[in-house]
Amino acid sequence: MDLALLRTFVTVHRAGSFTRAAALLGLSQPAVTSQIRTLERQLGRPLFLRQARGVTPTTIGDELAHRAAPHLDALVEIAECGLDDDSSPRTLYLAGPPEFTTERVLPVLTGLTGEDGQGFTLRVSFGTAEETLEGLACGRHDLAISTTRPRGALLSATPLCDEEHVLVAAPRWAERIGADTVRLKGAPALEDMPVIDVHESLPFVSRYWASVFDCTPAATGTVIVPDLRAVLSCASAGTGLAVLPRYLCAHALEQGTVVTLLDPVVAPLRTYFLVVRTGTLPLPHVARAHEWLQRAATAWC
């Protein structure tokens, strides 16, 4: 059986689409379709059910993928390890949210960019979870940091760490409202405060309100700025309240430029995932970055 046909088959199986598989393989869609038809003729069985959007594997298709994929991944790993003997470093294409990637991820990975000639060069893109996962699925990235766990077989996710979200504002707002008032009255005590968030939908504030107060915020955004570091700057300047990851505002809390308005018994959490295309984790440069980030994350919790 032709290994090239099996490689195309496994890629289609994971991608769930001839179009996406073609992009990952660097082939035209008709070429991918032709290879799958050739393999189906050789086996005498259909491997996929064609649908309006993508394909679904048949029982035979699932069985073949289960048996073939590990061996194909091992061959890719052998080939890639051979490439590491070249004097040219590999390039890791990383994508993730700007704040977490900047504050947490890059300080870890930059330590791998030139270590004893065994490191890699690094290219970084910022984006939303949807954007980074789509870019990873299309082959534009090797490793993604996401707050969304992807579905399907194409992408594989490993939990990295949880971040605690805290409700903060400048001290003058805390003095005006009073921590006891917020604790006793809950969300109504905060209705007249200006709100700072990263989007008109108030994703951070809404998530906090749902988790802690079991309601939606009544206020609309006073300042909307698409970067949590800018949100912190606005909160520190006294603009209003904000919900921020604790790691991002820890120094500001220590300095007293912002204070917590409420310390709930159960703090709202958000999970970050390390995401790769299935089968690529054994590649040396991806594996090293993945391992180092997991090791570093033990100190972030």
Side-chain angles (χ1 to χ4, degrees):
M1 189 177 294
D2 191 336
L3 288 178
L5 297 182
L6 280 176
R7 178 170 178 255
T8 298
F9 161 73
V10 169
T11 304
V12 172
H13 185 273
R14 287 170 170 168
S17 162
F18 285 173
T19 302
R20 178 164 284 175
L24 291 171
L25 293 166
L27 301 173
S28 67
Q29 183 176 336
V32 170
T33 302
S34 176
Q35 289 188 22
I36 295 300
R37 286 175 176 168
T38 298
L39 187 58
E40 288 177 327
R41 283 197 301 270
Q42 290 180 1
L43 295 173
R45 298 284 189 88
L47 297 173
F48 296 103
L49 300 175
R50 279 67 169 175
Q51 299 178 334
R53 299 183 63 181
V55 293
T56 301
T58 62
T59 302
I60 297 297
D62 275 334
E63 181 181 353
L64 179 60
H66 177 73
R67 295 172 61 185
H71 301 290
L72 288 169
D73 292 341
L75 289 173
V76 171
E77 181 182 0
I78 291 171
E80 294 292 338
C81 285
L83 289 175
D84 270 9
D85 293 335
D86 193 300
S87 59
S88 301
R90 298 299 307 276
T91 298
L92 179 76
Y93 292 89
L94 172 75
E99 306 89 355
F100 186 81
T101 303
T102 300
E103 300 293 328
R104 293 294 206 193
V105 175
L106 288 181
V108 175
L109 293 187
T110 51
L112 290 172
T113 56
E115 179 188 8
D116 299 327
Q118 301 297 315
F120 48 74
T121 58
L122 190 60
R123 300 293 182 268
V124 183
S125 300
F126 295 142
T128 65
E130 181 179 359
E131 292 167 344
T132 56
L133 292 180
E134 179 63 24
L136 181 64
C138 293
R140 293 194 297 272
H141 316 309
D142 299 315
L143 178 64
I145 313 296
S146 174
T147 55
T148 300
R149 183 191 287 272
R151 296 180 178 180
L154 180 60
L155 303 179
S156 300
T158 303
L160 179 62
C161 66
D162 293 327
E163 68 175 14
E164 177 189 349
H165 286 181
V166 292
L167 178 64
V168 300
R172 68 180 182 88
W173 283 108
E175 294 169 1
R176 180 183 303 181
I177 297 172
D180 289 339
T181 302
V182 178
R183 181 173 54 82
L184 293 173
K185 293 186 177 181
L190 304 169
E191 287 181 356
D192 295 330
M193 283 191 66
V195 174
I196 316 159
D197 212 318
V198 297
H199 189 269
E200 295 290 352
S201 62
L202 306 182
F204 282 82
V205 172
S206 295
R207 190 182 299 115
Y208 190 97
W209 256 237
S211 176
V212 176
F213 301 127
D214 195 25
C215 66
T216 57
T220 57
T222 301
V223 176
I224 301 297
V225 54
D227 190 301
L228 289 172
R229 291 162 296 190
V231 171
L232 174 59
S233 294
C234 292
S236 299
T239 304
L241 68 81
V243 173
L244 292 166
R246 183 174 288 278
Y247 80 85
L248 192 64
C249 59
H251 182 69
L253 288 170
E254 291 176 1
Q255 297 296 313
T257 54
V258 295
V259 296
T260 56
L261 297 177
L262 181 66
D263 291 311
V265 176
V266 180
L269 300 176
R270 184 169 67 163
T271 301
Y272 283 94
F273 298 93
L274 285 175
V275 191
V276 298
R277 285 188 304 282
T278 302
T280 63
L281 185 55
L283 302 182
H285 63 308
V286 178
R288 293 187 70 208
H290 198 277
E291 178 186 355
W292 275 53
L293 286 172
Q294 284 190 296
R295 189 184 306 165
T298 60
W300 297 343
C301 300

